[in-house]
Amino acid sequence: MSLHKYKRYIDEGDLVAVYLGRDSIKPMIVTKDESHVNKFGTFPHNDWIGKEYGSKVVSSRGTFIYLLHPTPELWTLILPHRTQILYIADISFISAYLDLKPGTRMIESGTGSGSFSHSIARTIAPTGHLFSFEFHERRAEIARQEFKDHGLDHLITLNHRDVCRDGFDLSDTVNAVFLDLPAPWEAVASAKKAFKQHRTGKICTFSPCMEQVMRTVTALNEHQFVDITMFECLIRNYEVQPIKKLTVQDAINSIRSMDAKRRDPQANAEAKAKRRRNEFDETDKETDVDDTAEMIVSRTRTEMKGHTSYLTFATFLPVEAVQAPASE
Ligand code: SAM
């Protein structure tokens, strides 16, 4: 079952992202004569075989689920967690900032649960390559098997290796490097060698603490990386709300009315009491705005949550640019 290509019909043995609700999507392998049982009812897998991905299937109790085609975005939401993982907000920002595109050859370490790897494989396909490094043996084995099962093994090479101790053992090969490691600064020297030496390249490190960022920046400076920039990725929720559209005259009337009320607190209190009784006086009518004149706006909350990490980016310069004598 490939996460890289789109398949129209569900076959036995395929992976399905079963959508039970907004916050509940589960990965399932379609297995003949098995059933998925949940609080909504029983859903026999046999009913799924031959259906189109995206179909709605209904249980005997009339409840329903959707059978979605797994994509890297969905996989990030449903994958079995073996480590902390990267989510789409960070992955998309990193991909854009590292200039990842079809044909890019890049390094990532560590592989972890393979969340980042799945998205990147699709971004760099069909001609690019991801060299992924993981020092935890079991995690490396599981990720290697998953990449194979998901039809990504021609795009990803998984290496079981401690990159801080033994480096990447690659030279003059990649355009980009992404490090999600506890001590990324220990891998900077080896990453430098792995870049295509006669082209510019980009590196990104993902670290939760400022102390890690500072040590990484020191290493990047020592190895002559340039344009070192750090971002904090935060989640900002937008709320879509209808608001009343005001004409200039509406606004003037409203200000006048507020002004009048401020000057006459007694009248203001009476007006409020009237409004509570659902009565209207002429002033209210005057400032009343046509309810049909609404527009939809999106507003953000001022408080932002969702700090995952600091993302530090830097540029690798071609060797000739670094070694060139200073111009007179
Ligand atoms: N980015 C991954 C994802 O989205 O699923 C998660 C990476 S996880 C947070 C960090 C991984 O780095 C762990 O699996 C850990 O075993 C691995 N790791 C830590 N130090 C390492 C090293 N020196 N060499 C290779 N892998 C290492």
Side-chain angles (χ1 to χ4, degrees):
M1 170 79 212
S2 174
L3 263 73
H4 170 49
K5 292 189 193 126
Y6 187 75
K7 184 172 186 280
R8 188 155 181 190
Y9 296 102
I10 300 170
D11 287 317
E12 188 184 350
D14 278 349
L15 175 65
V16 173
V18 178
Y19 181 97
L20 307 164
R22 235 175 112 110
D23 299 319
S24 180
I25 309 175
K26 296 200 182 318
M28 276 174 221
I29 302 289
V30 180
T31 313
K32 203 164 181 293
D33 300 331
E34 273 198 9
S35 288
H36 168 59
V37 183
N38 64 28
K39 61 181 175 184
F40 304 119
T42 301
F43 298 89
H45 286 203
N46 289 0
D47 292 353
W48 305 357
I49 298 170
K51 283 227 157 48
E52 271 192 51
Y53 272 106
S55 298
K56 176 177 173 177
V57 287
V58 184
S59 76
S60 52
R61 285 164 48 190
T63 53
F64 57 85
I65 55 176
Y66 290 97
L67 307 174
L68 305 182
H69 194 292
T71 60
E73 292 79 12
L74 282 178
W75 185 246
T76 287
L77 297 176
I78 62 183
L79 59 80
H81 282 217
R82 302 176 287 274
T83 59
Q84 289 198 329
I85 66 162
L86 258 79
Y87 290 93
I88 290 302
D90 289 310
I91 295 175
S92 47
F93 184 62
I94 297 165
S95 307
Y97 225 82
L98 287 182
D99 293 335
L100 304 186
K101 50 186 170 292
T104 299
R105 291 165 72 77
M106 78 170 291
I107 284 174
E108 75 154 343
S109 187
T111 317
S113 306
S115 171
F116 185 78
S117 334
H118 275 78
S119 283
I120 295 319
R122 192 181 57 177
T123 308
I124 63 176
T127 49
H129 204 81
L130 174 65
F131 301 89
S132 189
F133 293 81
E134 171 59 56
F135 78 168
H136 187 288
E137 192 169 4
R138 185 74 192 121
R139 262 177 228 157
E141 275 169 20
I142 297 173
R144 188 179 289 118
Q145 187 60 45
E146 262 175 13
F147 298 151
K148 192 162 181 267
D149 293 345
H150 296 165
L152 302 173
D153 49 341
H154 63 296
L155 294 165
I156 308 176
T157 305
L158 189 81
N159 301 277
H160 170 229
R161 166 189 287 267
D162 180 339
V163 297
C164 294
R165 196 189 62 196
D166 304 324
F168 299 104
D169 198 22
L170 287 174
S171 53
D172 204 8
T173 305
V174 299
N175 320 89
V177 173
F178 172 64
L179 303 177
D180 181 1
L181 296 168
W185 56 91
E186 290 180 359
V188 167
S190 176
K192 186 180 174 184
K193 268 193 226 148
F195 275 106
K196 287 185 179 163
Q197 297 293 298
H198 303 284
R199 305 186 57 168
T200 52
K202 297 260 184 82
I203 187 168
C204 172
T205 66
F206 180 93
S207 297
C209 307
M210 190 50 77
E211 290 71 17
Q212 290 166 303
V213 173
M214 284 157 72
R215 293 186 75 164
T216 305
V217 169
T218 304
L220 289 168
N221 270 319
E222 278 169 10
H223 289 91
Q224 294 165 304
F225 283 82
V226 297
D227 279 346
I228 302 172
T229 315
M230 192 275 284
F231 295 89
E232 183 181 18
C233 215
L234 294 170
I235 292 168
R236 180 186 288 238
N237 287 319
Y238 282 82
E239 283 175 0
V240 177
Q241 295 174 341
I243 60 160
K244 283 178 183 167
K245 230 187 216 169
L246 291 183
T247 62
V248 174
Q249 193 54 51
D250 290 332
I252 293 169
N253 290 348
S254 167
I255 292 166
R256 277 195 188 138
S257 151
M258 279 190 296
D259 231 31
K261 283 171 185 169
R262 247 199 311 274
R263 273 186 260 115
D264 187 350
Q266 174 75 29
N268 191 19
E270 279 168 20
K272 270 190 190 160
K274 265 189 188 172
R275 263 201 301 279
R276 270 199 295 276
R277 295 196 305 270
N278 270 343
E279 293 169 18
F280 293 92
D281 60 16
E282 284 311 304
T283 339
D284 290 327
K285 274 185 198 154
E286 204 186 0
T287 58
D288 215 21
V289 180
D290 174 10
D291 273 9
T292 56
E294 285 193 339
M295 62 181 172
I296 303 290
V297 294
S298 88
R299 292 184 167 166
T300 60
R301 288 173 188 268
T302 42
E303 185 198 356
M304 280 191 281
K305 292 183 183 152
H307 166 92
T308 49
S309 268
Y310 297 109
L311 292 169
T312 307
F313 292 89
T315 301
F316 167 83
L317 288 180
V319 279
E320 46 273 34
V322 176
Q323 288 163 1
S327 57
E328 285 153 28

